[in-house]
Amino acid sequence: MARSICSVHGCGRPVNARGLCGKHYGQAQRNGEFGTPCSVDGCTKPVVGRSLCSTHYAAARARGEFHKAQCSALGCGRPKHARGLCREHYAEALAAGAFGGVPCLADGCERRAEKLGYCSQHYVELKRAGKLGAKRCVVDGCTRYAVQNDKCPAHLHRSRKYGLSDEEMARLDAGVPCDICGAPATDVDHSHSTGLVRGYLCSPCNLTLGKMKDSPALLRRAADYLERVRTNASVRGPAVENESETPRA
């Protein structure tokens, strides 16, 4: 059976697609007559997603260009690694205890500590090698077992990351007041830009500063908001406390 002829007047080439030969089909595709063409140079296939045709879209997706969202930390454009953060900010948050734990003491390990300051994998390796002793932590008042430098995992982490002395850690354990609210402090607050220790905070105050991105401007706006809504509370009306107080139609 003879092939159809291109529908363009004067063209005698056989049809390739949509009633056009390969040459005129490519021209029509580049002119956007069949939809937006692929953004890759030389490709005339129609776009299916992210300015790419199906072939180039699949190739880009296989390279991992689309599945990694950006880090949620302010001003960071690195790919997300875990909990909405890149590797660097995730490691900082983990070290600060933001996720309810401290990182493994093994160098380069990002997993959470589970036993004696180590993740399960490194704990088993060190235990088999006989490198986990049974000495008590040297920090005054601490009854936990030491793993390195005669310190327990928690105090070893604080001495490494924040440079706290044994006396400073003992004083923190004894219950110094939070520098913001006065409740017993549990966390060491430090600057993420300089790494310097700023003070001792309770966990709620420390997490609040982190969620506010350590921004004095955001904290002032939050305070202004609370003052404003407190003033306007009588205008909006009281909040409904329980179902029995729900107004009936």
Side-chain angles (χ1 to χ4, degrees):
M1 181 182 293
R3 295 180 63 181
S4 301
I5 302 300
C6 177
S7 59
V8 176
H9 181 68
C11 180
R13 300 185 187 88
V15 167
N16 178 50
R18 299 200 180 206
L20 299 172
C21 64
K23 175 183 176 181
H24 290 111
Y25 176 81
Q27 291 176 351
Q29 183 67 44
R30 285 191 293 275
N31 292 333
E33 296 182 18
F34 307 135
T36 306
C38 179
S39 60
V40 177
D41 292 339
C43 182
T44 60
K45 295 179 181 178
V47 166
V48 296
R50 305 209 179 200
S51 301
L52 298 172
C53 65
S54 57
T55 302
H56 290 111
Y57 179 86
R61 186 174 183 180
R63 292 193 298 268
E65 295 182 9
F66 304 142
H67 76 280
K68 291 185 178 179
Q70 289 186 345
C71 176
S72 60
L74 185 64
C76 181
R78 288 185 288 265
K80 182 176 69 174
H81 169 63
R83 295 189 178 236
L85 300 171
C86 64
R87 286 185 179 274
E88 180 179 340
H89 286 111
Y90 175 75
E92 289 181 359
L94 185 61
F99 307 133
V102 295
C104 176
L105 292 173
D107 292 337
C109 183
E110 295 181 355
R111 291 184 288 268
R112 275 193 243 181
E114 296 181 10
K115 295 181 180 180
L116 295 181
Y118 294 95
C119 65
S120 57
Q121 176 182 337
H122 287 109
Y123 173 80
V124 171
E125 292 177 357
L126 292 170
K127 188 175 182 180
R128 288 175 178 173
K131 296 182 179 180
L132 294 178
K135 296 174 62 177
R136 296 288 183 179
C137 179
V138 295
V139 176
D140 188 28
C142 182
T143 59
R144 294 184 290 265
Y145 287 105
V147 289
Q148 289 182 21
N149 300 334
D150 295 329
K151 293 182 177 64
C152 69
H155 290 127
L156 180 61
H157 166 71
R158 284 179 169 173
S159 64
R160 282 181 171 180
K161 185 170 181 63
Y162 307 117
L164 298 182
S165 65
D166 294 353
E167 293 74 17
E168 289 173 324
M169 290 187 288
R171 188 164 60 89
L172 177 60
D173 291 344
V176 296
C178 171
D179 289 330
I180 294 179
C181 71
T186 56
D187 299 348
V188 180
D189 177 44
H190 73 290
S191 170
H192 292 279
S193 58
T194 64
L196 297 177
V197 174
R198 299 184 295 198
Y200 303 135
L201 303 175
C202 65
S203 291
C205 289
N206 194 26
L207 290 174
T208 299
L209 291 185
K211 290 182 180 297
M212 286 292 182
K213 302 178 177 61
D214 286 351
S215 171
L218 277 179
L219 289 167
R220 292 189 187 98
R221 289 170 61 184
D224 292 341
Y225 166 78
L226 290 176
E227 293 290 345
R228 186 170 65 253
V229 297
R230 181 182 300 174
T231 303
N232 296 336
S234 59
V235 178
R236 293 177 177 270
V240 176
E241 297 295 337
N242 51 58
E243 188 177 354
S244 63
E245 297 179 3
T246 303
R248 296 182 179 180

